[in-house]
Amino acid sequence: MRRLPWFFIGAATILLVAGSAIFGWLTPVAQGFSTRVPPTAIERWLARRIRHMSVPASAKDLTNPVPNSQQVLNQGRAHWADHCASCHANNGSGEIAMGRQMYPPVPDMRKLETQTLTDGELFYVIQNGIRLTGMPAWGSGSAQDTEDSWKLVRFIRHLPVMTTDEEQEMQGMNPRTPDELKEEQEEQNFLNGGNTNEQHHHH
Ligand code: HEC
């Protein structure tokens, strides 16, 4: 009986030390709010585990209703170049400024970590997004969005074997900033003989 308080004090001390070590390890407290540092391994692992557990089993087991045809891959690729590449890069590597500087950063989707997710899980992520990350939800519930997301799942499966030709073609499909549009227009005008601009200056 006389030992009991010491046992509790000892146990409480151990819990407190371990707890604060884990807290400091998991949270950005030690590092501030910067998104420049990569997440710790345990943070990454936990986030993926929790996400994996929160995708309903019925969603994980869904099979892709769109065929693995060239046409579907082309459509998925065009969609990716337009909507996803700004964060994920055309080849899915995530090697692009926006994706790299996010917290958590975008993963290299060509790797096993992504490729071992089920089709249903990829679809679920695309439709619903991922909370507390930069990954937006793309599904509005419309049949068109549903179909587009399944096509994107086909395209994601294709990422690991994508050719450089395909990648180059995508560069023409990436969204343009107003500056880029202007530059392209000027180039086009130049190629057309360089006079098209002048016409606008006659009043
Ligand atoms: C604004 C930036 C942004 C855009 C645009 C974006 N994503 Fe993401 N995406 C992210 C981030 C950040 C993550 C990583 C989240 C995490 O670590 O949990 C992610 C994760 C994913 C994942 C999960 C991969 C994995 O291994 O866990 C899939 C699938 C995905 N995105 C598909 C898409 C598709 C398809 C599009 C286009 C329709 C898209 N994303 C557009 C930021 C973006």
Side-chain angles (χ1 to χ4, degrees), residues 146-202:
T146 304
E147 194 183 321
D148 286 347
S149 295
W150 280 120
K151 287 177 181 169
L152 283 165
V153 172
R154 288 282 181 217
F155 178 71
I156 290 171
R157 294 297 184 209
H158 179 68
L159 284 173
V161 294
M162 200 167 76
T163 65
T164 37
D165 279 354
E166 287 177 275
E167 206 180 316
Q168 248 156 31
E169 200 186 316
M170 290 172 86
Q171 284 165 10
M173 306 173 184
N174 291 142
R176 302 275 187 277
T177 65
D179 272 353
E180 284 164 345
L181 282 176
K182 195 165 153 242
E183 205 170 297
E184 274 174 23
Q185 187 60 48
E186 276 162 10
E187 254 171 49
Q188 201 55 49
N189 290 344
F190 177 76
L191 293 174
N192 287 342
N195 298 325
T196 19
N197 252 347
E198 305 301 307
Q199 290 166 2
H200 299 293
H201 296 299
H202 298 299

Side-chain angles (χ1 to χ4, degrees), residues 67-179:
N68 194 15
S69 66
Q70 192 57 50
Q71 195 200 359
V72 163
L73 281 182
N74 289 344
Q75 289 167 339
R77 189 151 54 94
H79 196 148
W80 179 277
D82 197 18
H83 291 111
C84 319
S86 50
C87 289
H88 288 286
N90 282 330
N91 61 6
S93 65
E95 289 302 336
I96 189 162
M98 181 122 76
R100 273 283 153 263
Q101 280 148 20
M102 285 192 164
Y103 193 98
V106 299
D108 183 341
M109 303 239 270
R110 302 168 301 184
K111 293 210 170 133
L112 274 182
E113 209 178 36
T114 300
Q115 295 296 326
T116 49
L117 298 175
T118 65
D119 281 359
E121 202 164 2
L122 290 174
F123 173 77
Y124 190 87
V125 165
I126 299 169
Q127 290 284 98
N128 298 291
I130 306 172
R131 272 200 204 177
L132 302 184
T133 81
M135 175 58 188
W138 300 89
S140 66
S142 75
Q144 185 60 56
D145 279 356
T146 304
E147 194 183 321
D148 286 347
S149 295
W150 280 120
K151 287 177 181 169
L152 283 165
V153 172
R154 288 282 181 217
F155 178 71
I156 290 171
R157 294 297 184 209
H158 179 68
L159 284 173
V161 294
M162 200 167 76
T163 65
T164 37
D165 279 354
E166 287 177 275
E167 206 180 316
Q168 248 156 31
E169 200 186 316
M170 290 172 86
Q171 284 165 10
M173 306 173 184
N174 291 142
R176 302 275 187 277
T177 65
D179 272 353

Side-chain angles (χ1 to χ4, degrees), residues 28-39:
V29 171
Q31 298 159 340
F33 283 99
S34 175
T35 66
R36 285 177 201 282
V37 286

